[in-house]
Amino acid sequence: MKPGTRIVANTFAIADWQPDETATVEPCERWCTALLWIVPARVGGTWRTPKGDLSLTQKFQVVSGRLGKDPIEHGRLRGDAIAFTVGETTYAGRVEENRIQVRATVDGQSVEWTALALPTLQR
């Protein structure tokens, strides 16, 4: 499915894929929980950036890895939107096939850069 595709289910989960959102109706006798998943873009692998290699490991919409030597925290995908934190800086951007356009604010200055997928990245 294309990144950004929405999947909605009533009460039943999709294996070990955690939903992006859950809503429960109260009072309710049965079939009370709505689950929403948003298909994430594929980003697992290594990307070349001006800040060093961006190595990403992906499990559904959760992303971890490193930017250069620094660990990534709070990495998330919502369709083609990606966000993660490295140190004190939070990056946000869009995945576009073999590139990720990223923006952040560093020391009060807006920073933008593009990460390019290395040829070994499977799309």
Side-chain angles (χ1 to χ4, degrees), residues 22-123:
T22 302
T24 303
V25 176
E26 296 290 340
C28 179
E29 292 181 28
R30 56 188 223 192
W31 314 111
C32 304
T33 303
L35 307 165
L36 169 69
W37 294 266
I38 300 173
V39 175
R42 292 183 186 189
V43 297
T46 304
W47 301 75
R48 181 71 27 95
T49 83
K51 298 211 161 262
D53 284 351
L54 174 64
S55 299
L56 299 176
T57 301
Q58 177 178 2
K59 183 171 182 183
F60 303 109
Q61 71 272 44
V62 178
V63 179
S64 59
R66 302 186 89 64
L67 177 57
K69 295 181 180 183
D70 299 317
I72 290 173
E73 298 177 322
H74 313 295
R76 298 286 293 187
L77 286 155
R78 190 170 176 101
D80 65 353
I82 187 169
F84 57 90
T85 302
V86 178
E88 298 293 318
T89 305
T90 298
Y91 296 89
R94 293 261 176 233
V95 180
E96 302 169 359
E97 292 190 26
N98 65 347
R99 66 182 54 218
I100 302 174
Q101 303 284 69
V102 177
R103 290 187 185 143
T105 302
V106 179
D107 298 326
Q109 299 290 325
S110 180
V111 174
E112 294 185 30
W113 46 263
T114 300
L116 299 174
L118 294 180
T120 58
L121 187 65
Q122 297 297 315
R123 308 295 319 141

